[in-house]
Amino acid sequence: MIELRVVYVISAREFKKFLREKSRLFSSLARPLIWLFLVGGGLSRIVPTGGNITYLQFFFPGIIGMTILFTSIFSAISIIWDKEFGYMKEILVAPVSRTSIVVGKAVSGSIVSTIQATIVLMLFPLVGLKLSLLSVLLIILLSFAISFSIASIGILIATFYESFESFSIIMNFIVMPMFFLSGAMYPLRKLPEIFKLIAHFNPLTYGIDALKNVIIKEAGEMGADFSLSLDLVIIFLVSLVFIFLGTKAFNRRV
Amino acid sequence: MSIIHVDSLSKHFNSIKAVDNVNFDVREGTIFGFLGPNGAGKTTTISILCTLLRPTSGTAIVDGYNCVTQPAKVRRSIGVVFQDTTLDKDLTAYENLLYHAILYNVEKSERQKLVDDALMFIGLYERKNDLVKRFSGGMKRRLEVARAMVHQPKILFLDEPTLGLDPQSRNNLWEFITRLPEEKGVTIFMTTHYMDEAEVCDEIAIIDRGKIIAQGSPEELKKSVGGDVIYLKTTDNLKALSIIREEMSLTGRIKGDELFITVTRGDACLPELIRHLGDIVKSVRVQRPTLNDVFLNLTGKEIREEHPDSMDEIKESVRAYRRRFDRT
């Protein structure tokens, strides 16, 4: 069973700390901005898209996906922090279910991640995109759903690692490949077969595809590879499966 | 009536017996102390009683609930202060306590009052809106005790509560802790390796290498040493020891550069001792037995005063196990 008070405490704590640490907000926004303007800006000069959008516009959903990926994974990994610095013990010794703790962690990570994604989203006029208010609201909701699925994956990863040393392993072997093989930088249909196959097993692919479905609707060849409903079903299933596995692993290991 | 009942409790980590067939009872409203060196199994025992660790065998009943089969009920009855701080230093004192109250399902109408009361009790009410990272070590500890009291537990577990604190903060903390049983009717279960702290306990269990080797009130334990303790420095400790053992039929041990002798009456024994040993005696002191002497008498070693963290305790228990293993 999920106790809402536990989800509330874990989320409120995370949110308060997020607001207090201004440097964390800036540094986590720096990455997507650098990628968008320095990498995307450069590539858009040499990459012909052939369609009715520029490369920068194509890259925009991918950048929101990147913001979500990094923020959600690292929020979930704060379980490692908590274990190392002890606050997790305070929660574990309280009369609360383990499932609530895992769900609370996923929700708190998703809230922070959605805020960051929304800030990045607001830059859409700078890349020459036009979005209706309804689309903006839809993207924010989608961001929360994608964040939740990625945070669930992050929690499962975190339960397997004991300390900070694993940080760079997670970064290099999970997070970066997830980003590059997600259709964020290249349309999936133009990838070599082997990468295309791997990308199909990458949950982030469907998250970014969902964003493409709303942000670059009429991009043709450069647009989304799947339908929005398929994306949503997969995001939902990934969340469900990983929350379940995360809870099991958490119960067993912590 | 016993509020904690532990029956043949054991916890093995692979081949290491961190807790080895331990039995004890804690009476309601008393302060019960677990005294022993680092790695003796104190933290492991507390972790089992707090439902964070499953025992290998045996039963632990806390407030009438089984720690293994009814962990949620046990958790509701207890408050815990761990050896390493578990406060969130990026939150304020008030927030730390408030979130605790919510986690423990304290009625919304009572939360504010209970949190304020707890802060008042430890004298940190004026600083309730300060971030915890601005607090001194002693204040953090006090705050942690206050947090553990917010949901009005029946039993408070304190694992080495004063570890790493300066003497003044230690005294300050003890003042609060010893008030709890009287004023709030709380039972306290604490671990320590400081002898003077164990003196405040109503009942002490001395634990070494996973086993309880003595149990009783501080007075009873000191009486068990049998009279007085004489510490003796000589120019030749081995020779002195054989004289004491053979010519005087007394029990003595070498401890560091001193001899440690237990006698029924120190004042009467002293002249005879000097007569037998002659001029090899460098210095003598006679004292009433302390808890340290109790431990020394039982194990032949002193409880070391170190500042470990819990990881060290596990490592230490591995070492302790190896030492025992090598000897046999």
Side-chain angles (χ1 to χ4, degrees):
Chain A
M1 91 243 81
I2 297 164
E3 294 128 333
L4 284 178
R5 65 175 206 281
V6 182
V7 178
Y8 168 78
V9 165
I10 296 174
S11 304
R13 168 177 173 249
E14 199 67 36
F15 187 66
K16 279 232 163 81
K17 288 169 71 162
F18 173 76
L19 290 184
R20 271 172 205 160
E21 285 174 61
K22 301 273 184 293
S23 59
R24 193 172 129 192
L25 175 69
F26 286 119
S27 66
S28 56
L29 283 177
R31 184 185 349 251
L33 294 184
I34 286 169
W35 276 80
L36 179 62
F37 291 110
L38 301 190
V39 180
L43 284 175
S44 68
R45 296 288 172 103
I46 54 164
V47 178
T49 51
N52 46 3
I53 59 165
T54 65
Y55 184 79
L56 205 55
Q57 290 168 338
F58 165 79
F59 199 22
F60 195 66
I63 287 298
I64 295 176
M66 168 188 247
T67 313
I68 291 172
L69 173 68
F70 279 85
T71 318
S72 305
I73 288 261
F74 292 125
S75 288
I77 285 174
S78 70
I79 283 191
I80 298 179
W81 265 247
D82 281 348
K83 273 198 281 184
E84 203 116 315
F85 294 123
Y87 192 78
M88 188 49 74
K89 269 191 180 168
E90 150 80 355
I91 303 177
L92 286 171
V93 84
V96 301
S97 74
R98 299 310 189 239
T99 313
S100 307
I101 299 175
V102 173
V103 173
K105 267 290 171 198
V107 170
S108 68
S110 306
I111 292 172
V112 173
S113 168
T114 305
I115 296 171
Q116 304 235 18
T118 306
I119 295 172
V120 174
L121 173 65
M122 289 312 153
L123 300 175
F124 71 87
L126 287 183
V127 296
L129 284 165
K130 289 190 181 67
L131 295 171
S132 67
L133 182 64
L134 199 67
S135 298
V136 169
L137 291 177
L138 182 59
I139 294 163
I140 294 173
L141 285 178
L142 276 176
S143 298
F144 189 84
I146 301 164
S147 301
F148 192 86
S149 66
I150 303 290
S152 316
I153 296 170
I155 287 167
L156 185 66
I157 296 169
T159 54
F160 286 100
Y161 291 102
E162 294 292 318
S163 66
F164 297 120
E165 284 109 68
S166 36
F167 190 84
S168 66
I169 301 176
I170 297 172
M171 189 71 197
N172 290 321
F173 290 96
I174 298 173
V175 178
M176 290 317 285
M178 259 178 103
F179 174 66
F180 288 120
L181 289 169
S182 66
M185 295 188 75
Y186 337 95
L188 222 52
R189 56 172 71 87
K190 297 201 173 174
L191 282 177
E193 285 304 318
I194 174 73
F195 291 152
K196 202 192 283 180
L197 185 71
I198 300 171
H200 274 81
F201 288 99
N202 180 358
L204 186 65
T205 302
Y206 302 92
I208 290 177
D209 199 70
L211 293 171
K212 284 181 189 168
N213 266 313
V214 183
I215 299 174
I216 46 171
K217 268 197 286 275
E218 279 126 36
E221 274 278 280
M222 295 297 282
D225 294 87
F226 314 104
S227 71
L228 185 58
S229 44
L230 176 70
D231 293 333
L232 287 175
V233 168
I234 289 179
I235 292 167
F236 180 73
L237 287 178
V238 166
S239 304
L240 213 61
V241 167
F242 279 92
I243 274 290
F244 177 74
L245 293 179
T247 310
K248 285 203 85 165
F250 193 74
N251 261 322
R252 202 159 34 85
R253 296 183 153 258
V254 182
Chain B
M1 198 203 113
S2 65
I3 196 158
I4 302 176
H5 174 70
V6 169
D7 190 19
S8 35
L9 193 72
S10 293
K11 175 72 190 178
H12 302 173
F13 295 106
N14 298 321
S15 58
I16 302 143
K17 291 175 180 169
V19 176
D20 191 4
N21 197 20
V22 158
N23 299 285
F24 62 87
D25 277 277
V26 178
R27 274 175 297 127
E28 191 164 0
T30 59
I31 303 183
F32 186 92
F34 234 42
L35 179 66
N38 301 315
K42 303 186 300 274
T43 299
T44 307
T45 308
I46 266 202
S47 302
I48 294 171
L49 294 175
C50 297
T51 74
L52 290 183
L53 209 58
R54 288 172 80 92
T56 311
S57 61
T59 38
I61 308 290
V62 172
D63 194 26
Y65 304 112
N66 188 305
C67 292
V68 177
T69 57
Q70 300 165 294
K73 292 217 163 95
V74 171
R75 286 189 208 133
R76 228 171 280 277
S77 302
I78 63 172
V80 190
V81 176
F82 293 102
Q83 205 173 95
D84 309 309
T85 179
T86 63
L87 294 165
D88 190 328
K89 61 180 176 41
D90 295 317
L91 296 178
T92 65
Y94 180 79
E95 286 162 352
N96 265 292
L97 268 57
L98 181 72
Y99 290 163
H100 180 93
I102 302 172
L103 284 177
Y104 282 79
N105 228 349
V106 174
E107 286 290 324
K108 196 169 185 180
S109 53
E110 291 176 48
R111 272 179 216 157
Q112 178 100 33
K113 188 183 171 297
L114 285 172
V115 169
D116 285 349
D117 283 354
L119 286 165
M120 223 94 86
F121 188 75
I122 53 149
L124 285 176
Y125 183 77
E126 282 71 34
R127 304 211 39 191
K128 67 183 215 173
N129 290 322
D130 288 2
L131 292 181
V132 171
K133 63 178 158 201
R134 312 221 188 288
F135 284 14
S136 71
M139 286 158 74
K140 280 186 200 154
R141 279 275 128 165
R142 261 148 66 200
L143 186 62
E144 215 149 358
V145 174
R147 185 180 64 177
M149 291 300 300
V150 163
H151 61 286
Q152 300 176 304
K154 286 195 187 160
I155 307 150
L156 188 62
F157 287 95
L158 305 166
D159 193 4
E160 300 271 1
T162 58
L163 198 71
L165 295 186
D166 59 87
Q168 200 193 339
S169 307
R170 280 172 63 177
N171 290 340
N172 203 326
L173 185 65
W174 277 116
E175 207 191 297
F176 294 113
I177 294 174
T178 48
R179 269 164 57 201
L180 287 170
E182 278 168 50
E183 291 181 24
K184 314 261 177 187
V186 186
T187 307
I188 294 181
F189 181 100
M190 55 167 258
T191 71
T192 184
H193 65 281
Y194 295 115
M195 302 301 140
D196 50 336
E197 293 187 347
E199 297 275 353
V200 305
C201 297
D202 298 298
E203 178 109 0
I204 296 172
I206 298 183
I207 183 168
D208 186 39
R209 293 175 192 172
K211 284 187 197 297
I212 292 183
I213 52 175
Q215 199 176 333
S217 70
E219 284 316 306
E220 283 164 3
L221 287 172
K222 285 186 237 171
K223 268 188 203 143
S224 73
V225 176
D228 296 329
V229 178
I230 299 176
Y231 286 94
L232 192 68
K233 272 188 186 167
T234 65
T235 49
D236 185 350
N237 282 346
L238 284 173
K239 186 178 161 199
L241 188 65
S242 71
I243 294 173
I244 290 160
R245 282 186 176 158
E246 279 150 35
E247 295 180 21
M248 302 178 67
S249 323
L250 293 171
T251 45
R253 294 169 185 275
I254 293 179
K255 196 209 89 192
D257 60 345
E258 282 183 316
L259 288 171
F260 166 84
I261 307 159
T262 49
V263 294
T264 13
R265 285 201 51 191
D267 50 351
C269 181
L270 214 49
E272 204 189 334
L273 193 70
I274 306 285
R275 209 164 40 241
H276 274 91
L277 292 176
D279 53 8
I280 64 168
V281 176
K282 283 189 339 202
S283 71
V284 181
R285 76 195 141 90
V286 181
Q287 64 181 55
R288 301 290 307 153
T290 62
L291 285 170
N292 196 31
D293 299 322
V294 176
F295 191 78
L296 191 59
N297 196 36
L298 288 165
T299 65
K301 60 179 185 183
E302 264 186 289
I303 298 185
R304 287 146 297 154
E305 306 228 335
E306 293 169 8
H307 301 282
D309 58 36
S310 38
M311 201 51 220
D312 282 346
E313 181 153 7
I314 294 168
K315 286 180 195 146
E316 187 55 36
S317 67
V318 177
R319 280 182 220 122
Y321 174 78
R322 286 203 185 124
R323 277 199 295 273
R324 184 169 48 170
F325 190 77
D326 289 345
R327 215 175 291 154
T328 50

